[in-house]
Amino acid sequence: SPTTEQMRDDVATLARTVQQVLASSKADSVQVQPANRLNLGEIAQKVVAQQGPLAYQRGVDLHFIEPPAPVYAMGDEDASQLALTNLIENAIAHGGQGTVEIEVKTDGSVSVSDQGSGLTDEQQQQIFEPFWRAEDAPEGGSGLGLAIVKRLQEAQNGRVTVRSTPGKGSVFTLIY
């Protein structure tokens, strides 16, 4: 019934918000040790596989570009997985139907590209602020995902960048 469907949507939104709050608290406990060498290709492959069903459900094709050789970076595995998961989920939700490309680059970065409507220069300046949402954002989000990605990357002594062109999509890059 419509009431049951609305309740399911509300519970899914609540569950997502709780996941985001838990992910945010993870940033406070991240400690990168010299021995914390991550294989970025393995992490990306795992996250892409986990996001496959959501992408399929939304009519999005995930395309993973593996590096020619293992790419290692200093970081925290859980934090890296959370950050990449948030970027891919955002690309699926906001990038429209088409292809979301995830690429592990030999320079120790991971990029997520979509074919969505893109972002203006002003939006690119605001997008990593907590609770910021575009006016045309789909229902159900809280505006926390990209702020959490930023916090997780900073906790690992890294950063996240965005490059976007209105009408042509966006590229988010995790830099370690």
Side-chain angles (χ1 to χ4, degrees):
S1 75
T3 303
T4 302
E5 288 303 313
Q6 181 61 47
M7 286 178 60
R8 281 189 182 130
D9 290 345
D10 291 347
V11 168
T13 298
L14 181 59
R16 179 77 179 129
T17 301
V18 168
Q19 287 175 337
Q20 294 289 11
V21 171
L22 291 172
S24 181
S25 69
K26 171 68 177 164
D28 295 332
S29 65
V30 170
Q31 294 183 350
V32 178
Q33 304 297 328
N36 288 15
R37 234 174 73 140
L38 307 174
N39 182 327
L40 296 179
E42 287 180 359
I43 289 172
Q45 188 173 39
K46 180 178 180 180
V47 173
V48 168
Q50 290 170 341
Q51 295 303 309
L54 176 63
Y56 178 78
Q57 178 185 12
R58 301 273 177 96
V60 173
D61 179 37
L62 293 182
H63 181 77
F64 177 49
I65 301 173
E66 292 188 67
V71 175
Y72 295 97
M74 300 297 290
D76 179 86
E77 186 171 352
D78 290 340
S80 296
Q81 286 181 11
L82 283 169
L84 186 56
T85 296
N86 274 347
L87 288 185
I88 295 172
E89 285 177 350
N90 261 18
I92 292 168
H94 302 282
Q97 290 188 334
T99 300
V100 170
E101 185 175 278
I102 301 91
E103 181 177 9
V104 177
K105 299 180 180 178
T106 57
D107 66 0
S109 65
V110 181
S111 66
V112 177
S113 308
D114 67 50
Q115 300 170 340
S117 59
L119 301 163
T120 65
D121 289 341
E122 182 181 335
Q123 289 173 321
Q124 289 178 60
Q125 299 299 317
Q126 298 173 311
I127 199 159
F128 296 108
E129 297 299 318
F131 304 108
W132 184 86
R133 290 176 44 84
E135 291 177 17
D136 61 347
E139 292 289 320
S142 61
L144 289 173
L146 292 174
I148 290 169
V149 170
K150 180 181 177 189
R151 287 189 65 211
L152 290 168
Q153 284 305 105
E154 289 174 350
Q156 299 181 86
N157 301 313
R159 67 186 198 279
V160 59
T161 63
V162 61
R163 190 177 75 242
S164 187
T165 304
K168 295 188 178 181
S170 301
V171 179
F172 288 85
T173 303
L174 301 173
I175 300 168
Y176 291 85

